[in-house]
Amino acid sequence: MTNGETNGADPWHIVDVETLDVDTVALVIHQVEVSPRPDQLAYRESEIDALWTLADMAAQAGDTDASEWLELLWQAHDHVGDGDRTQALATLTRLRDRLAETERRRGRHSASM
């Protein structure tokens, strides 16, 4: 789906970002996959911004994993802004995997921030 095909998915859908967790990042990843147009990618930037805000709040609260999340989100935001969905997807996938690792390590399903 990364070559502009949406397969019926709605690239105009906006992900409701309330938590920084694997499920929310997976939803943003899906939306990046189905959003080939620059105006659609602007929505993805705002979703990544919301995730970044949650990661920043976690950093302010002393979460030791948050600095890595912030860096990955910064990179993903830049890639989306540049229209480079391939790199944005790779970076968001790394973030999703890091969050999953954190959730496993902390022994809970969600690293809700």
Side-chain angles (χ1 to χ4, degrees):
M1 279 194 293
T2 59
N3 63 358
E5 295 295 321
T6 61
N7 291 341
D10 182 5
W12 299 107
H13 172 76
I14 298 173
V15 175
D16 187 17
V17 176
E18 295 182 9
T19 58
L20 176 57
D21 60 19
V22 170
D23 294 337
T24 303
V25 173
L27 289 171
V28 173
I29 288 170
H30 174 72
Q31 287 305 108
V32 171
E33 290 174 334
V34 301
S35 300
R37 295 175 33 175
D39 50 349
Q40 295 162 342
L41 289 175
Y43 290 123
R44 308 303 67 98
E45 281 185 295
S46 67
E47 294 159 352
I48 293 168
D49 287 345
L51 290 169
W52 192 94
T53 298
L54 294 170
D56 187 51
M57 291 169 60
Q60 298 283 334
D63 191 314
T64 57
D65 294 308
S67 63
E68 181 181 13
W69 303 337
L70 287 167
E71 179 60 30
L72 290 169
L73 287 162
W74 185 274
Q75 291 172 23
H77 183 273
D78 285 350
H79 293 311
V80 167
D82 292 339
D84 189 346
R85 291 187 309 144
T86 301
Q87 287 301 313
L89 289 167
T91 303
L92 289 168
T93 298
R94 283 198 312 271
L95 173 64
R96 184 200 60 205
D97 294 347
R98 295 290 192 220
L99 288 169
E101 179 182 309
T102 299
E103 291 172 6
R104 281 191 300 274
R105 188 176 70 246
R106 293 178 182 177
R108 57 183 168 159
H109 174 5
S110 176
S112 298
M113 306 297 141

